[in-house]
Amino acid sequence: MVNIKHGRGYVYAIEYHIVWCVKYRHKILVEELDVRLKEILLKIASDYAFTISEMESDKDHIHLLVECTPQHAIPSMIKVLKGISARLLFKEFPHLKKKLGDGHLWNPSYFIATVSEHTEEQIRKYIQDQKVK
């Protein structure tokens, strides 16, 4: 159910489906690294005052359902999510830099789509089913 929120002088319900991939599609989002990535992303969202309401990965990419305010700029959210997570994961899992060759964790591109009350449940299920395939 889409959460309608109130700001000072405005009402909004903003949700995005965001997907990005590991550089060269390396299948590294498994086991403890996958768990740690999700913890890091939830902390970043909390620190930057937006909500990840659904999240799942499938070895070489991650899907997020993000709720935010009109003040959140999409490129800024993506930059903090990818930048901080990469820095912390490289620090905690130093072998990643060698495995990825050039020292970049994430592919520079990403997918983003707006979510409406008509598509939210479909997208939630799609994200939840990422590892079920």
Side-chain angles (χ1 to χ4, degrees), residues 68-131:
C68 61
T69 69
Q71 288 75 26
H72 287 99
I74 294 166
S76 299
M77 283 193 317
I78 302 293
K79 183 178 180 179
V80 299
L81 287 166
K82 290 169 78 174
I84 295 170
S85 65
R87 184 172 40 83
L88 293 175
L89 289 173
F90 280 143
K91 186 176 178 182
E92 295 178 33
F93 301 88
H95 68 279
L96 283 179
K97 278 199 176 189
K98 288 180 187 167
K99 182 171 181 95
L100 296 172
D102 65 0
H104 291 93
L105 179 59
W106 304 120
N107 185 302
S109 62
Y110 59 90
F111 165 85
I112 189 158
T114 55
V115 177
S116 73
E117 64 271 13
H118 303 294
T119 59
E120 181 188 16
E121 278 309 310
Q122 291 171 309
I123 292 169
R124 280 185 187 282
K125 179 151 180 35
Y126 179 75
I127 292 171
Q128 292 166 357
D129 289 347
Q130 283 303 295
K131 287 195 173 163

